Amino acid sequence: MPKRPERRAHNLFEAAADYVAAHAEDDQDRIDEAAGWVSPEALSFGVSELACRAVLALARERDESPRTVARDLLGLPVA
C-alpha cells in the first residue's frame, strides 16, 4: 500500500504570516488555506503579534513612536 504524504502541521506564526501576506496580495485561495491551519483564536493572536512586531520595526526604521507609525499606516491623524 502506498504511503500517504504526511500533512505538516503549521504553527500560529506561520499561519499568520501567510494569512497577512495573502491579504496584502489579494489572494483569496491562500487566505482560506492559511486560515484553516490553526484555530481562529490562534490566527488572531498570530496576526496581532505580527502587527506589533511590524509596527515596532517600522518605528525603529523611521525613528518615530509606534503610535505614530500605527496611526499613519491606518491613515489616521496624528493624535
Side-chain angles (χ1 to χ4, degrees), residues 5-62:
E6 286 188 35
R7 187 171 167 194
R8 189 173 72 77
H10 299 275
N11 71 44
L12 67 101
F13 296 116
E14 185 176 23
D18 281 12
Y19 182 82
V20 170
H23 264 283
E25 296 167 357
D26 198 27
D27 185 336
Q28 189 62 49
D29 290 337
R30 283 181 42 224
I31 292 168
D32 295 341
E33 180 182 1
W37 291 346
V38 295
S39 72
E41 295 82 10
L43 183 60
S44 178
F45 175 80
V47 169
S48 178
E49 184 65 23
L50 176 60
C52 289
R53 292 178 188 198
V55 166
L56 286 172
L58 281 172
R60 283 188 208 109
E61 186 178 292
R62 295 179 181 184

